[in-house]
Amino acid sequence: MEKKYIFPKDFLWGGALAANQCEGAWDEDGKGMSVADCSTYKPKVDPKDYKGQHGITSEDIENAMNSDDIYLYGKRHGNDFYHRYKEDIGLCGEMGFKVLRVSIQWTRIYPNGIEENPNEAGLAFYEDMFAEMRKQGIEPLVTLHHYEMPLFLSNEFDGWYKKEVIDLFIKFCKTVFTRYKGLVKYWLTFNEIDSVFRHPFTTIGIVNDRYPEDKLEEIIYQSVHNQFVASSLATKYLREIIPGAQMGCMLTRTLTYPENCNPKNMMLALKVNRENFFYADVQTFGEYPQHILNYWKKNNIQIEMSEEEKEILKNYTVDFVSFSYYMTMVASIDAGKREKVSGNLTAGVKNPYLDTTEWNWQIDPMGLQYSLIEMYDRYRKPLFIVENGIGNRDTVETDGSIIDDYRIDYFRDHIKAIGDAIDEGVEVMGYTPWGCIDLVSMSTCQMSKRYGFVYVDVDDEGHGSYERRKKKSFHWYQQVIATNGVDLD
Ligand code: BGP
């Protein structure tokens, strides 16, 4: 007898998008250039070619600033959500979404981040978008910083390294909290705040070749510390401006298994997982774990952290913990001798028990159940899965249908894992599968790495009709939501 899952009656079923990967209109209606507008199309990144921090150089940025090409720079066209958001929100409403995760581009509100007054066209755009969602009975879940900081701040303020950026970000937050009060109650601060070492340019605006190699680690830790302070201050002002609103942190949960029962592998996996958790620890417990402070001392990393900042961290912790989940990884003391797999802009040892996607990401539904149980035990706060999904090629058949059974199988197994975690007593607020409408891949700027329930007719070079088509998974997910997770077949 197939197990029937009982999801909470107010479970927030939905989907997730990010402005820089879907809106397009990169220079319209007063928007300033963001770090995302410098990302170029690159075919999938193979583990052997992996360059660590996403490898962008000052020359790349110079070229981007001098180019108005929207095809080489895939995030400049996105899936044209900026002009099609009413249709897309209608499709989400048709699926029965309770929530839709989007982000607000800082550069639509303050083009360079330093302007005295906000850009009214930007404010009006998001106000209409949120109103459209509410018309469809959809709650907006809004990310304030999803790899979208003003390029000007990266160039003139060393990204998040300079503390002035905290105040500029808080000005942006206060503006949008005030304008969207009554429209938005669920907020996230920094998307995958733990990814600052994996790709420092898109997360904190740091371009490696601008700084001495031996100072980079300290610069990145200082930058993410400034983001922790900004996250706590944003939480403080959210509670003042929109009483009852909820603030979440957002982590890439990359569950890492030891390769075997060798205690050395167990210890290695413990440290890799603890390094991942550190970012949510600070935003949930309001203080740094001692192992990080010890690491800084041992490695002579000097972080400017005032007593006032420590108070702010302590007093304004998050209401819930959100995270993205795509895969699991494996740690081995013999990694050098093992076959490699890709990860989300990382690389790891292959797990012989797991299949991988075409982009070499390991598929592990059980790992989601494990992550939910472990994180709930650790944080004792409601959890929200704000990204999950499988990026793969989809084919439009001659009759126009798109049979993405593999995606249905992926989501069915991961939704069952959530149901099993809820049975274990885990409090899960909701589930917003990533890229619910096909959009531009963050790591490769490809459209062909498709995540959506809705297909968008545009290719990796940005050419196509941009028309939307419902995939088979659209109808399947519609039924899942209509039965609150009971009908998963
Ligand atoms: C996460 C980002 C998302 C999304 C996702 C999929 O890191 O938060 O923006 O891009 O990864 O990754 P990709 O688009 O590279 O396939």
Side-chain angles (χ1 to χ4, degrees), residues 27-39:
D27 59 354
E28 278 185 41
D29 296 339
K31 176 182 169 292
M33 199 164 170
S34 80
V35 292
D37 297 321
C38 303
S39 293

Side-chain angles (χ1 to χ4, degrees), residues 21 146 191-192 326 344 387 434 441-443 449 451:
Q21 293 172 247
H146 196 131
N191 182 70
E192 299 192 328
Y326 291 97
N344 196 345
E387 290 183 28
W434 172 251
S441 158
M442 184 268 162
S443 53
K449 186 180 187 187
Y451 283 91

Side-chain angles (χ1 to χ4, degrees), residues 113-127:
I114 55 168
E115 291 79 3
E116 192 53 42
N117 300 310
N119 171 33
E120 176 52 30
L123 284 172
F125 166 66
Y126 290 107
E127 185 168 43

Side-chain angles (χ1 to χ4, degrees), residues 163 225 229 286 293 303-316:
K163 289 206 182 271
H225 168 72
V229 174
L293 302 177
I303 300 299
E304 198 188 323
M305 182 188 328
S306 66
E307 286 311 309
E308 188 203 1
E309 287 180 346
K310 287 178 189 170
E311 270 304 291
I312 289 166
L313 293 180
K314 194 71 189 164
N315 294 334
Y316 303 104

